[in-house]
Amino acid sequence: MMQMADRIKLKVLDPGLLTTVQDSGRWGYQAFGVSPGGVMDEYAAELTNLLVGNPPDAALLEITLKGPTLRFEEEGWVALGGADCGATLDGKPVPNWSAFYGRAGSTLILGFVREGCRAYLTCAGGFDVPLVMGSRSTYLRAKIGGFQGRPLQEGDVLEGINLVEARDEPGKIVESIRPERDSDLPLTQSSTITLPPSLIPRYGSPILLRVLLGPQEDMFEPEGVETFFNSPYRISHEADRMGYRLEGPKINHRGKADIVSDALAKGAIQVPGHGMPIVMMADHQTTGGYPKLGTVILADQYLLAQGKPGDEVLFFPCTEEEAIVAWKERRDHLSLVRAYVDRLWRKYA
Amino acid sequence: MSVSENPSVRFLAMGEACVVVEFGNTIDPEVNERVHRLARCLQNLLSRPEATTYQGTFYRQEYRSWSEVARAGIRELVPTYRSLAVYFDPLEVKRQALEAQITQLLQEIDVPEPAGALEAEAGSQREKTFPRQGKTVIIPVCYGGEYGPDLAFVAQHTGLSEEEVVKIHTSRTYRVYMLGFLPGFPYLGGMDERIATPRLETPRTRIPAGSVGIAGTQTGFYPMESPGGWRIIGRTPIKAFDPFSDTPFLLFPGDFVQFKSIGEGEYRKIEESGGRP
């Protein structure tokens, strides 16, 4: 086995607008009022993680609208994906959806997102912050997890997880590669570790979302349900990691617009008395007292996570069978891309 | 939507990865107890392999298949006032099979306790598998003064003395209907209406962790610092939420809370010893 690199170290020179450490979520505590949290866009996060051979639950940076500026204090492999924010490494453009090697002293600058809303940056092994209740996700509301329970600030130093006990391939391969000469760096070669356009998701407006009705669809007028499915909505400025409030034609309730609180899932669409839908996102409250008209299907939730204020949203009814098929296709696609990236790394090594 | 044989239970879908088992649509201790009983039973079946080997009645086979299904794909259980949300992986678990299993389980839970001598043993085993009730947790509270800045207002509003308010508040056992809003925040039920007091017109921006409050006919306490509009009548040194503990939460949904009045000296003693009973 080759000598292991020191742990990668990144210093935050500028934190960007809202940059937090996230992983696949803090599951198992919703009964106690703890949101599952985790990355908003699981699809982009998993693709980014697999670019450096990480498992889907490795911790990465979730970058919102405007990216941070980071300096490599110790060298190592990183990967970038999600919304393209025109990254540069020491002034040279870095392709989005790619893995690259940063030398100590290099500066990585992520700018404003060009399309979509959230970018993801990870390092080989994922970022090393303490596990809090089984997760490295930043839970802003409770100020726990991630980097000291808060968004990144100037001067913070992030380290990668020590991969001496490297897990599976291709993580082991990634870890074993220490480019000696700059000409060995993937960015300077024609064959970089980059996902081609055919394998990556596209973001933008309008956002088309498939919805399964329920659990409280019977609390709406049939005409209200029709309005919901036949009208354009816009993402309002009240759109954050907890939920997205949309604006558009009013959805009428049949009677009262509240219920005795019950559970809320990510993707659930609550409609309070004002008749505007609110879609629950990663840090959603675990219970809620407004009727839920429907739920955005798993396979489409990432599209909304990449939506920003002003984007148009259109809802379409769908069947549970279609939803499960779409989800299965997503999982299969991710397995295939993982195998493809594995092959790229073997070739590179 | 499918309706089980039990007319009071409805299975609702919240997306393709969640089934909501709805027992009613009111705040009612009996409805809530059924929710928590099912939650406890499911949790036991998920976490204790021995629960699947219980012998002596007809349903062993179902448990075995149940536990296989469950371990493969049940992600999380969320009990609320009136329903239990069961989150699952739709690529591992079929909704219909899950609903059938839960229907079966509900019938077994509702079977009366065995009476005979032979069944007594089975009964205790049964109690382990299907625990009847949540635990009662004593919450010591230092009422009034700097810890309870609104106690005087509550007394004035209700026409009682501060001592009477405290006496009434500590005289009942409150059901933890559910936890939510903040990590470990209990929605308690059963407060005496004589001490009901409306919320503050302007919420405070910062309420210290442990604050015990009244909002309308509700009472509860803040497990962590938060903004809020409840009338604060006291504070507990007990840490109801400690993310770095092996047991981050003191209260489970379905438990019961009993408040107990303590002095400042005892408050400090409990605080210094780590804030756990």
Side-chain angles (χ1 to χ4, degrees), chain A residues 23 74 138 189 247 275 284 304 311:
Chain A
D23 64 9
E74 298 287 347
T138 313
Q189 293 182 335
E247 284 164 350
H284 65 82
L304 192 58
D311 285 352

Side-chain angles (χ1 to χ4, degrees), chain B residues 32-89:
Chain B
N32 189 246
E33 192 47 40
R34 292 191 73 198
V35 172
H36 294 305
R37 200 156 153 71
L38 177 62
R40 282 193 291 267
C41 293
L42 285 179
Q43 195 63 56
N44 260 357
L45 292 175
L46 293 178
S47 57
R48 294 174 49 219
E50 70 271 20
T52 65
T53 61
Y54 169 45
Q55 299 192 16
T57 64
F58 59 92
Y59 44 74
R60 181 163 63 106
Q61 213 48 46
E62 281 74 19
Y63 282 168
R64 184 157 291 155
S65 61
W66 159 260
S67 106
E68 280 163 11
V69 168
R71 280 200 198 101
I74 290 197
R75 213 165 180 191
E76 181 148 23
L77 306 172
V78 185
T80 63
Y81 275 114
R82 60 196 182 91
S83 64
L84 178 68
V86 181
Y87 290 93
F88 61 93
D89 178 347

Side-chain angles (χ1 to χ4, degrees), chain A residues 27-34 132-133 139 141-142 144 212-216 218 259-265 268 285-287 292 295 297-298 320 323-324 327-328 331, chain B residues 10 12-17 20 25-27 75-83 85 87 90-91 95 178-184 224 241 243-244 248-249 251-253:
Chain A
W27 289 85
Y29 296 100
Q30 287 190 78
F32 301 95
V34 177
V132 178
M133 293 160 65
Y139 183 17
R141 192 169 158 81
I144 60 168
L212 289 171
L213 278 176
Q216 280 99 27
D218 53 359
I259 58 172
V260 175
S261 292
D262 74 349
L264 280 180
Q285 295 207 3
T286 52
T287 61
K292 295 168 285 295
T295 310
I297 69 169
L298 293 176
E320 180 156 272
I324 293 171
W327 186 235
K328 177 83 169 64
R331 302 305 314 161
Chain B
R10 292 203 302 166
L12 307 171
M14 180 159 52
E16 68 271 48
V20 180
N25 53 14
T26 52
I27 299 179
R75 213 165 180 191
E76 181 148 23
L77 306 172
V78 185
T80 63
Y81 275 114
R82 60 196 182 91
S83 64
Y87 290 93
L91 301 185
R95 177 184 305 277
M178 64 176 196
L179 300 165
F181 171 59
L182 289 171
M224 54 186 289
F241 172 48
F244 303 105
F249 299 97
L251 295 177
F252 277 61

Side-chain angles (χ1 to χ4, degrees), chain B residues 4 13 43 47 56 103 125 160 169 184 236 240:
Chain B
S4 82
Q43 195 63 56
S47 57
T103 303
Q125 180 66 45
L160 300 163
H169 194 251
T236 176

